[in-house]
Amino acid sequence: MASALPMAPMKRTQSMNAMIDKKKKPLSPQSLAARAKMVEYVEAHGGSKPIHTILVANNGMAATKAMLSMREWAYDNLGDAKALTFVAMASGQDLDANAEFVRLADRVVEVPSGSNKNNYANVELIIDIAEREDVDAVWPGWGHASEYPELPDGLKARNIVFIGPDGGPMRALGDKIAASILAQTARVSSIPWSGDGITCDPKVVIETGAIPPDLFRKAMVTTAGECMAAAEKIGYPVMLKASEGGGGKGI
C-alpha cells in the first residue's frame, strides 16, 4: 500500500527573514495627513472614534481578504490606501509559509504555533497584543475567537473597538434555543420545535445578553419524558440536537 511521505517543514529564505524582521519592528508614526483624513471622514459621518490601527486576529484567506478590502475602502473614500495601519498576528507556521497576509501587514507580532487555542482563538492573547500594540480596533474575522463574547467584552473594557457584534447578542445568538426564541420574537418563521411559540422581551435580552432562564427552560427538553411529549407535539420524524456546539456532532 502506498503512503504519502511527510512534507519537510519549509525553511525561511534570507529575503523572507529580512521581510519578517522588518515587520516585527515598531510601527512608524502614521502621517498627520492620513490621520487627519480619517478624523474628517468620521466626523462627517457622525462617528465618534477614528480608527487608524487595526489588529487582524486571524490568518490565511480571511486576513488577506480583510486587509485588501479595507485598503480598497481607504483608497476609495480617503484617497490613501495606507490610511489604515494593520498589525497582524502570525504563528510560526504562517511565517514559514510566507503567507500572503503576513506580507500585506504593516507590522507582524509572532504568536505561538500549534492549535488555534495557542494563537488565533486565544482571547487573552489577542487582548494582550491589542493593548501592547496600542491599536484602535480588532478585526476577528470568522472562526477562531470571532464567536467568543469574552473578546468584545474584554476589548470594550479597554476602550478598544471590536469590529463585530457586542458580547450580549453574541451570547444570545450563539445558543440554538436562545436564537430560536429571538427569531420567533422577531416573527421569523421557524420549523416546529420544542419551544414553539415562545417569545421574549427584546429589551431584557439587550440589557442582560441572555434569554430569561424560565423561558429558556420551558423551550428545552432534559428528560426522556419531555422529549417524547415534544416529539408527539411536533410529529415524526424528529431530530434531537444539543443547544450548543456545531458541525452536526450533537445530532
Side-chain angles (χ1 to χ4, degrees):
M1 182 178 70
S3 60
L5 294 173
M7 292 182 63
M10 293 183 65
K11 291 185 178 180
R12 299 181 196 174
T13 64
Q14 187 174 357
S15 60
M16 284 170 62
N17 277 325
M19 181 270 291
I20 292 168
D21 288 342
K22 182 179 179 181
K23 288 181 179 288
K24 286 184 177 180
K25 293 179 180 178
L27 288 167
S28 300
Q30 213 174 30
S31 73
L32 293 177
R35 296 181 71 86
K37 287 179 182 178
M38 181 64 76
V39 171
E40 183 181 348
Y41 180 90
V42 170
E43 290 177 349
H45 289 79
S48 58
K49 183 179 174 68
I51 292 175
H52 304 286
T53 305
I54 298 172
L55 172 63
V56 179
N58 211 302
N59 65 340
M61 187 56 70
T64 301
K65 284 186 173 182
M67 285 187 273
L68 287 173
S69 295
M70 285 189 268
R71 289 224 188 278
E72 183 178 1
W73 174 89
Y75 180 79
D76 289 344
N77 291 276
L78 306 174
D80 184 357
K82 301 292 281 185
L84 288 169
T85 298
F86 294 108
V87 177
M89 297 168 55
S91 68
Q93 292 107 316
D94 285 322
L95 293 174
D96 289 342
N98 194 23
E100 178 70 11
F101 81 93
V102 173
R103 291 189 281 125
L104 286 171
D106 298 290
R107 173 162 159 72
V108 171
V109 177
E110 186 167 0
V111 293
S113 297
S115 168
N116 71 351
K117 67 183 180 182
N118 298 329
N119 41 65
Y120 307 108
N122 189 319
V123 171
E124 292 77 13
L125 177 64
I126 294 170
I127 293 174
D128 178 61
I129 292 173
E131 282 195 294
R132 284 192 282 115
E133 296 298 318
D134 196 26
V135 302
D136 301 304
V138 173
W139 184 84
W142 54 85
H144 297 312
S146 65
E147 296 179 14
Y148 294 159
E150 295 80 9
L151 183 55
D153 288 350
L155 292 170
K156 184 177 182 179
R158 293 160 176 82
N159 199 31
I160 300 172
V161 174
F162 177 75
I163 304 178
D166 290 337
M170 195 182 291
R171 283 187 180 85
L173 293 174
D175 180 274
K176 296 176 184 64
I177 289 176
S180 297
I181 292 175
L182 285 174
Q184 290 175 167
T185 301
R187 299 183 180 180
V188 176
S189 298
S190 304
I191 62 172
W193 68 296
S194 56
D196 252 2
I198 296 176
T199 59
C200 64
D201 183 349
K203 293 181 181 178
V204 173
V205 179
I206 292 171
E207 290 173 0
T208 65
I211 298 294
D214 59 324
L215 294 181
F216 193 93
R217 174 65 186 83
K218 189 177 178 182
M220 68 179 176
V221 296
T222 58
T223 68
E226 289 176 351
C227 184
M228 292 297 295
E232 291 293 338
K233 177 183 175 183
I234 295 167
Y236 293 92
V238 295
M239 178 174 66
L240 183 63
K241 186 100 172 70
S243 66
E244 291 186 346
K249 293 179 289 185
I251 295 175

